[in-house]
Amino acid sequence: ETGVTQTPRHLVMGMTNKKSLKCEQHLGHNAMYWYKQSAKKPLELMFVYNFKEQTENNSVPSRFSPECPNSSHLFLHLHTLQPEDSALYLCASSQEQSPYGYTFGSGTRLTVV
Amino acid sequence: AQSVTQLGSHVSVSEGALVLLRCNYSSSVPPYLFWYVQYPNQGLQLLLKYTSAATLVKGINGFEAEFKKSETSFHLTKPSAHMSDAAEYFCAVSVAQGSYIPTFGRGTSLIVHP
Protein backbone atom coordinates (compact mmCIF):
# COMPACT_ATOMS: atom_id res chain seq x y z
CA GLU A 1 0.00 0.00 0.00
CA THR A 2 1.22 3.49 -0.82
CA GLY A 3 0.30 7.02 0.17
CA VAL A 4 -1.61 8.06 3.27
CA THR A 5 -4.39 5.81 4.53
CA GLN A 6 -7.05 6.92 7.01
CA THR A 7 -9.51 4.70 8.83
CA PRO A 8 -12.38 4.65 9.30
CA ARG A 9 -13.74 6.63 6.34
CA HIS A 10 -16.96 7.42 8.18
CA LEU A 11 -17.71 7.54 11.88
CA VAL A 12 -20.87 8.36 13.79
CA MET A 13 -20.47 8.71 17.53
CA GLY A 14 -22.48 9.89 20.47
CA MET A 15 -21.26 12.69 22.68
CA THR A 16 -20.31 10.27 25.46
CA ASN A 17 -18.43 7.81 23.25
CA LYS A 18 -14.69 7.34 22.93
CA LYS A 19 -13.29 6.56 19.50
CA SER A 20 -10.00 6.86 17.63
CA LEU A 21 -9.06 7.89 14.12
CA LYS A 22 -6.06 6.22 12.53
CA CYS A 23 -3.63 7.47 9.91
CA GLU A 24 -0.81 5.52 8.31
CA GLN A 25 1.72 6.70 5.73
CA HIS A 26 3.97 4.56 3.55
CA LEU A 27 6.01 7.37 2.03
CA GLY A 28 8.97 7.46 4.39
CA HIS A 29 7.95 10.92 5.59
CA ASN A 30 8.86 12.08 9.07
CA ALA A 31 6.23 14.76 9.69
CA MET A 32 2.51 14.14 10.13
CA TYR A 33 -0.42 16.46 10.61
CA TRP A 34 -4.07 16.50 11.62
CA TYR A 35 -6.40 18.98 9.95
CA LYS A 36 -10.08 19.71 10.52
CA GLN A 37 -12.22 20.69 7.55
CA SER A 38 -15.66 22.09 8.36
CA ALA A 39 -18.22 23.35 5.90
CA LYS A 40 -17.72 27.02 4.98
CA LYS A 41 -14.56 27.34 7.09
CA PRO A 42 -10.91 27.39 6.12
CA LEU A 43 -8.82 24.29 6.66
CA GLU A 44 -7.73 24.23 10.33
CA LEU A 45 -4.37 22.82 11.35
CA MET A 46 -4.79 20.93 14.63
CA PHE A 47 -1.54 19.12 15.43
CA VAL A 48 1.93 18.72 13.96
CA TYR A 49 4.35 15.88 14.69
CA ASN A 50 7.99 15.86 13.60
CA PHE A 51 9.96 12.67 14.21
CA LYS A 52 7.19 11.52 16.60
CA GLU A 53 7.42 14.71 18.69
CA GLN A 54 4.49 17.08 18.83
CA THR A 55 5.67 20.48 17.66
CA GLU A 56 2.39 22.30 17.27
CA ASN A 57 -0.97 22.30 18.98
CA ASN A 58 -3.24 25.02 17.66
CA SER A 59 -5.33 25.56 20.80
CA VAL A 60 -7.25 22.38 20.20
CA PRO A 61 -9.71 21.37 22.96
CA SER A 62 -8.49 18.56 25.21
CA ARG A 63 -11.31 16.30 24.02
CA PHE A 64 -9.00 15.73 21.02
CA SER A 65 -5.88 13.79 21.99
CA PRO A 66 -3.25 12.94 19.36
CA GLU A 67 -0.77 10.10 19.54
CA CYS A 68 2.19 9.39 17.29
CA PRO A 69 3.88 6.10 18.24
CA ASN A 70 6.25 6.20 15.24
CA SER A 71 6.86 8.22 12.09
CA SER A 72 4.42 6.12 10.08
CA HIS A 73 1.37 6.16 12.35
CA LEU A 74 -0.77 8.90 13.79
CA PHE A 75 -3.91 8.61 15.88
CA LEU A 76 -6.53 11.08 17.02
CA HIS A 77 -8.34 9.95 20.14
CA LEU A 78 -11.79 11.44 20.61
CA HIS A 79 -13.91 11.67 23.78
CA THR A 80 -16.95 13.63 24.92
CA LEU A 81 -17.19 15.45 21.61
CA GLN A 82 -19.73 18.13 20.75
CA PRO A 83 -21.96 18.32 17.67
CA GLU A 84 -19.85 21.21 16.35
CA ASP A 85 -16.92 18.79 16.14
CA SER A 86 -18.64 17.10 13.20
CA ALA A 87 -16.31 17.59 10.23
CA LEU A 88 -13.93 15.92 7.83
CA TYR A 89 -10.67 15.11 9.62
CA LEU A 90 -7.70 14.95 7.32
CA CYS A 91 -4.30 13.48 7.98
CA ALA A 92 -1.28 14.58 5.96
CA SER A 93 2.41 13.80 5.83
CA SER A 94 5.53 15.46 4.46
CA GLN A 95 9.29 15.46 4.61
CA GLU A 96 10.01 17.71 7.57
CA GLN A 97 11.56 21.04 6.66
CA SER A 98 10.85 20.71 2.98
CA PRO A 99 8.83 22.87 0.58
CA TYR A 100 7.56 19.99 -1.51
CA GLY A 101 4.00 19.94 -0.30
CA TYR A 102 1.88 17.55 1.67
CA THR A 103 0.30 14.22 0.87
CA PHE A 104 -3.18 13.95 2.30
CA GLY A 105 -5.30 10.97 3.20
CA SER A 106 -8.91 10.69 2.10
CA GLY A 107 -10.16 11.77 5.50
CA THR A 108 -12.58 10.53 8.12
CA ARG A 109 -16.07 12.02 7.96
CA LEU A 110 -17.07 12.37 11.62
CA THR A 111 -20.63 12.98 12.74
CA VAL A 112 -21.31 13.62 16.42
CA VAL A 113 -24.90 12.98 17.47
CA ALA B 1 3.00 35.94 8.52
CA GLN B 2 1.99 34.72 5.10
CA SER B 3 -1.53 34.59 3.68
CA VAL B 4 -3.43 33.75 0.53
CA THR B 5 -6.61 35.10 -0.93
CA GLN B 6 -8.63 33.16 -3.45
CA LEU B 7 -10.90 35.43 -5.43
CA GLY B 8 -14.32 33.90 -5.91
CA SER B 9 -15.69 31.07 -3.82
CA HIS B 10 -17.35 29.62 -6.94
CA VAL B 11 -16.29 29.68 -10.59
CA SER B 12 -18.58 28.32 -13.28
CA VAL B 13 -17.40 27.41 -16.80
CA SER B 14 -18.69 25.46 -19.75
CA GLU B 15 -17.01 22.24 -20.80
CA GLY B 16 -14.20 23.10 -23.21
CA ALA B 17 -13.82 26.67 -21.92
CA LEU B 18 -10.77 28.19 -20.27
CA VAL B 19 -10.44 27.66 -16.54
CA LEU B 20 -8.95 30.51 -14.49
CA LEU B 21 -8.82 30.32 -10.70
CA ARG B 22 -7.25 33.29 -8.97
CA CYS B 23 -4.87 33.28 -6.04
CA ASN B 24 -2.99 36.21 -4.52
CA TYR B 25 -0.50 35.79 -1.75
CA SER B 26 1.18 37.91 0.87
CA SER B 27 4.62 37.07 2.22
CA SER B 28 7.57 39.09 3.52
CA VAL B 29 10.04 36.44 2.33
CA PRO B 30 10.23 34.39 -0.86
CA PRO B 31 7.23 32.07 -0.89
CA TYR B 32 6.56 28.54 -1.96
CA LEU B 33 3.16 28.24 -3.60
CA PHE B 34 0.85 25.31 -4.15
CA TRP B 35 -2.45 24.37 -5.69
CA TYR B 36 -4.38 21.43 -4.32
CA VAL B 37 -7.58 19.84 -5.64
CA GLN B 38 -10.22 18.13 -3.55
CA TYR B 39 -12.87 15.92 -5.10
CA PRO B 40 -16.05 15.16 -3.12
CA ASN B 41 -15.43 12.98 -0.07
CA GLN B 42 -11.70 12.90 -0.74
CA GLY B 43 -8.61 14.48 0.73
CA LEU B 44 -6.54 17.18 -0.94
CA GLN B 45 -4.28 16.20 -3.82
CA LEU B 46 -1.27 18.27 -4.86
CA LEU B 47 -1.82 19.66 -8.38
CA LEU B 48 1.38 21.65 -8.73
CA LYS B 49 3.93 23.66 -6.79
CA TYR B 50 6.25 26.61 -7.25
CA THR B 51 9.54 26.28 -5.38
CA SER B 52 11.60 29.14 -6.86
CA ALA B 53 12.59 27.43 -10.10
CA ALA B 54 10.64 28.15 -13.32
CA THR B 55 7.86 30.71 -12.87
CA LEU B 56 5.49 28.77 -15.13
CA VAL B 57 4.66 25.52 -13.42
CA LYS B 58 2.93 22.61 -15.07
CA GLY B 59 0.93 20.17 -13.00
CA ILE B 60 -1.26 17.14 -13.38
CA ASN B 61 -4.46 16.93 -15.42
CA GLY B 62 -3.38 19.71 -17.80
CA PHE B 63 -3.30 22.48 -15.20
CA GLU B 64 -0.59 25.10 -14.97
CA ALA B 65 0.10 28.19 -12.88
CA GLU B 66 2.36 31.19 -13.26
CA PHE B 67 4.18 32.87 -10.41
CA LYS B 68 4.11 36.65 -10.86
CA LYS B 69 6.07 38.37 -8.14
CA SER B 70 5.13 41.88 -9.26
CA GLU B 71 1.45 41.02 -8.95
CA THR B 72 1.87 38.66 -5.95
CA SER B 73 -0.26 36.19 -7.86
CA PHE B 74 -0.25 32.48 -8.62
CA HIS B 75 -3.33 31.92 -10.77
CA LEU B 76 -4.30 28.43 -11.91
CA THR B 77 -5.33 27.85 -15.53
CA LYS B 78 -6.37 25.08 -17.86
CA PRO B 79 -7.06 25.70 -21.55
CA SER B 80 -10.11 23.45 -21.82
CA ALA B 81 -12.33 22.40 -18.93
CA HIS B 82 -13.53 18.84 -18.60
CA MET B 83 -16.48 17.64 -16.56
CA SER B 84 -14.07 15.69 -14.36
CA ASP B 85 -12.38 18.96 -13.32
CA ALA B 86 -15.37 19.86 -11.14
CA ALA B 87 -13.93 20.01 -7.62
CA GLU B 88 -12.73 22.32 -4.86
CA TYR B 89 -9.37 23.99 -5.47
CA PHE B 90 -7.13 25.34 -2.73
CA CYS B 91 -4.19 27.69 -3.07
CA ALA B 92 -1.53 27.55 -0.32
CA VAL B 93 1.65 29.42 0.60
CA SER B 94 4.52 28.38 2.80
CA VAL B 95 7.86 29.88 3.82
CA ALA B 96 11.07 28.46 5.21
CA GLN B 97 10.78 30.39 8.49
CA GLY B 98 7.47 28.71 9.22
CA SER B 99 8.87 25.19 8.88
CA TYR B 100 7.11 25.15 5.53
CA ILE B 101 3.72 24.68 7.21
CA PRO B 102 1.32 25.98 4.56
CA THR B 103 -1.38 28.56 4.95
CA PHE B 104 -4.38 27.58 2.86
CA GLY B 105 -6.90 29.75 1.09
CA ARG B 106 -10.61 29.26 1.64
CA GLY B 107 -11.01 27.34 -1.59
CA THR B 108 -12.75 27.88 -4.93
CA SER B 109 -15.41 25.50 -6.12
CA LEU B 110 -15.13 24.87 -9.87
CA ILE B 111 -18.42 24.03 -11.55
CA VAL B 112 -18.31 22.69 -15.11
CA HIS B 113 -21.45 22.82 -17.25
CA PRO B 114 -21.99 20.45 -20.18
Side-chain angles (χ1 to χ4, degrees):
Chain A
E1 230 182 302
T2 59
V4 179
T5 303
Q6 288 187 244
T7 54
R9 290 295 310 274
H10 301 273
L11 178 62
V12 179
M13 60 185 288
M15 289 191 282
T16 57
N17 292 159
K18 288 185 181 181
K19 297 285 184 184
S20 295
L21 310 185
K22 180 183 176 182
C23 176
E24 185 173 1
Q25 58 97 0
H26 304 272
L27 300 166
H29 292 164
N30 45 39
M32 296 186 78
Y33 313 81
W34 279 116
Y35 280 87
K36 177 183 179 183
Q37 187 177 36
S38 305
K40 304 190 180 186
K41 282 187 167 183
L43 208 57
E44 298 174 54
L45 178 64
M46 300 174 72
F47 301 105
V48 178
Y49 277 84
N50 284 316
F51 295 99
K52 304 187 299 179
E53 300 298 320
Q54 187 181 125
T55 56
E56 193 147 338
N57 174 341
N58 278 349
S59 304
V60 180
S62 59
R63 57 186 183 269
F64 295 91
S65 174
E67 178 189 2
C68 188
N70 54 60
S71 293
S72 299
H73 293 86
L74 184 65
F75 295 89
L76 188 62
H77 303 299
L78 316 170
H79 64 98
T80 59
L81 294 192
Q82 305 298 311
E84 60 265 28
D85 296 323
S86 298
L88 182 67
Y89 288 84
L90 293 166
C91 173
S93 71
S94 72
Q95 277 302 116
E96 192 253 353
Q97 300 287 338
S98 80
Y100 300 123
Y102 288 5
T103 301
F104 283 83
S106 295
T108 295
R109 173 69 64 187
L110 174 67
T111 304
V112 181
V113 297
Chain B
Q2 65 271 22
S3 67
V4 290
T5 302
Q6 292 184 240
L7 298 173
S9 59
H10 295 83
V11 169
S12 182
V13 300
S14 297
E15 192 172 19
L18 171 72
V19 175
L20 171 61
L21 304 182
R22 299 177 187 273
C23 173
N24 288 90
Y25 70 91
S26 173
S27 174
S28 57
V29 298
Y32 299 91
L33 294 158
F34 309 85
W35 276 100
Y36 288 85
V37 61
Q38 184 178 31
Y39 299 101
N41 299 313
Q42 295 293 320
L44 279 67
Q45 179 184 4
L46 184 63
L47 262 182
L48 50 78
K49 57 181 180 280
Y50 166 76
T51 56
S52 74
T55 56
L56 181 62
V57 181
K58 294 188 185 298
I60 61 172
N61 302 338
F63 284 93
E64 63 181 38
E66 187 172 7
F67 172 67
K68 292 187 176 180
K69 184 178 178 181
S70 60
E71 299 177 8
T72 62
S73 69
F74 189 59
H75 301 331
L76 182 70
T77 60
K78 182 174 180 178
S80 176
H82 193 272
M83 296 295 290
S84 60
D85 295 326
E88 191 84 12
Y89 291 80
F90 294 90
C91 182
V93 61
S94 71
V95 297
Q97 285 86 334
S99 299
Y100 299 106
I101 292 177
T103 299
F104 287 88
R106 298 182 74 99
T108 297
S109 178
L110 177 65
I111 302 159
V112 182
H113 297 287

